[in-house]
Every structure is written in C-alpha cells, then in structure tokens.
Amino acid sequence: MSTVLITGANRGLGLEFSRQYADSGWNVLACCRVPEAADALNALAVRHGNIRVHALDVGDFRQIDALASQLGDQPIDVLLANAGVYGDSAGFGALDYRQWSRTLLINAQAPVKLAEAFLPCLLRGKLRLIVPITSLMGSMGDNRGGGSLMYRSSKAALNAAMKTLSIDLKPQGVGVLILHPGWVKTDMGGDQAPTSATESVGGMIRVIRDFTLENSGRFFNFKGAELPW
C-alpha cells in the first residue's frame, strides 16, 4: 500500500488530499499544527482507518526533525508539501518585514526542510516523489498584475529551490513535481474562486499518478499543463 505525507491537512486542499487519497486506499500521514482542533480531519480519520493524524508546525524545524525520527523506517511514496500562508497584509510602503520573513520560512524554506528530513523515508518508498504546492503567482513570466509581494516572492523562491532539488536528487531516483492548484475555493482562495477543492485535488492527483522522473523539476497546473517560470 502506498503512503503519502501531507502537511496542512486540517482544511482546504490538504483536507481534500487526505480524503481522496484515503478513499483510494493509500496510507495517509495527515499533518497539522493543532490536531485536537482539527475537527474535520479527525472526523475523516474516524471514517478511514488508513489516516493517521500527526502534530506538525512546519515553521518549527525541530518538530519536522522530531516527526521524521518518530516515523523511523516508515516508507513514504509522496511527500506533499501543502502547508502555506498568504502573508501579505499591506502593500509597498507599509511592508511588515518580519511577516515577510515568516512567509518565506513557511512557503519556501519549510518544504526544503521537509525534503531533507524525510529523504530517508522517501528512499524507502516506491514512488519517491516530492510535491510542493506552489502558485502561478510565483511565476516571473506570468506576473502582469503586481501586488502580493510577500506571497509572490515566497512562491518564486519555492519554485527555484525545488527546481534545484529536482536536479540534485535525481541521481537517487527522487522526483520533484511542482504543482499549481489553480484559483481554488478555500480560506485562502476565497468564495470567488472558480475551482472547487475537489476538482483541483482530483486533477493534481492525476498529474501525480502520471509523473515520470523525466518530468522532474517541471512546473504544472492541476490540469497537467506546463506553466512558465
């Protein structure tokens, strides 16, 4: 049975990933900051014996190392770095630089730390795939609207870091699939978004399923279309 580790699993895309992978018979290691407050995730875990809920704040790298140590020899097929923050609360001229640093930590540095910590688990798995959930807002080529400086820069940094990891880890048979979920109806995306979490996650799971190592380091949306850097 294949295993996926999902961060930010208590709501939005992470919760939907947990549901769809559990429905497909995968072992799901569902991670969130405060499991005791994750009512929807806990209810899902009650209905599915193949979901295990773990406490993990990806902004605390000691917690990442502790969970990796706790899991020990557990094989992981897909490491799904989904947890993220928007960050922006004010525009240029009133930027909160500590908040910007926090946004970069969560969105760009934490997925790299996850890859470092869980690499031994990935090497024990069959698929050996790292999937960072990024955004088209991190694309330089697509940026025609400006704004959202913190979020855009954090996702651009994530894209660059993951492109590098795709090269560095390929000799070990580890792939990196950089995915844009679309504009989705979630707490971050808002009610005006045109895509449901069910549709987005279903599409991303199909792209993950069809992944080959030759595609490592490429940037796709949830429909499987390649995106500009």
Side-chain angles (χ1 to χ4, degrees), residues 59 61 70 77 89 131 136-137 143 148 157 196-197 200 209 211 219:
F61 290 2
Q70 177 187 334
D77 292 279
S89 57
V131 182
L136 186 58
M137 290 181 72
N143 186 357
S148 302
S196 70
S200 173
R209 180 197 63 201
F211 175 82
F219 184 16

Side-chain angles (χ1 to χ4, degrees), residues 6 8-21 23 44 80 82 133 179-206 208 221-223:
I6 304 168
N10 58 308
R11 62 182 183 178
L13 295 175
L15 183 64
E16 185 62 21
F17 268 119
S18 298
R19 184 187 70 79
Q20 292 197 28
Y21 270 119
D23 283 346
L44 191 65
L80 214 161
N82 167 73
I133 302 304
L179 280 182
H180 167 53
W183 182 15
V184 187
K185 288 184 178 74
T186 61
D187 289 346
M188 186 183 294
D191 293 334
Q192 300 302 311
T195 306
S196 70
T198 301
E199 180 186 1
S200 173
V201 168
M204 287 190 285
I205 287 177
R206 286 190 291 274
I208 292 168
N221 69 12
F222 72 102
K223 295 180 180 179

Side-chain angles (χ1 to χ4, degrees), residues 52-192:
R52 285 186 283 159
V53 180
H54 295 276
L56 180 64
D57 179 350
V58 300
D60 183 344
F61 290 2
R62 292 171 299 180
Q63 288 190 30
I64 295 176
D65 285 332
L67 181 58
S69 177
Q70 177 187 334
L71 292 178
D73 294 336
Q74 167 72 58
I76 293 175
D77 292 279
V78 176
L79 175 62
L80 214 161
N82 167 73
V85 295
Y86 178 64
D88 290 88
S89 57
F92 183 73
L95 293 171
D96 181 337
Y97 284 87
R98 284 191 293 182
Q99 178 62 23
W100 193 358
S101 295
R102 178 71 178 172
T103 303
L104 288 164
L105 175 73
I106 299 297
N107 291 356
Q109 294 180 337
V112 175
K113 176 60 180 177
L114 288 164
E116 269 194 318
F118 291 104
L119 180 61
C121 295
L122 282 166
L123 292 174
R124 295 185 185 97
K126 293 180 180 178
L127 299 181
R128 299 183 176 185
L129 182 57
I130 300 166
V131 182
I133 302 304
T134 184
S135 172
L136 186 58
M137 290 181 72
S139 167
M140 302 286 190
D142 188 72
N143 186 357
R144 296 180 293 273
S148 302
L149 193 153
M150 296 181 187
Y151 186 71
R152 285 186 186 277
S153 62
S154 69
K155 291 300 187 178
L158 172 62
N159 291 353
M162 288 296 161
K163 175 64 177 178
T164 295
L165 283 190
S166 75
I167 298 166
D168 293 346
L169 297 179
K170 194 171 185 177
Q172 298 179 68
V174 176
V176 180
L177 176 57
I178 303 163
L179 280 182
H180 167 53
W183 182 15
V184 187
K185 288 184 178 74
T186 61
D187 289 346
M188 186 183 294
D191 293 334
Q192 300 302 311

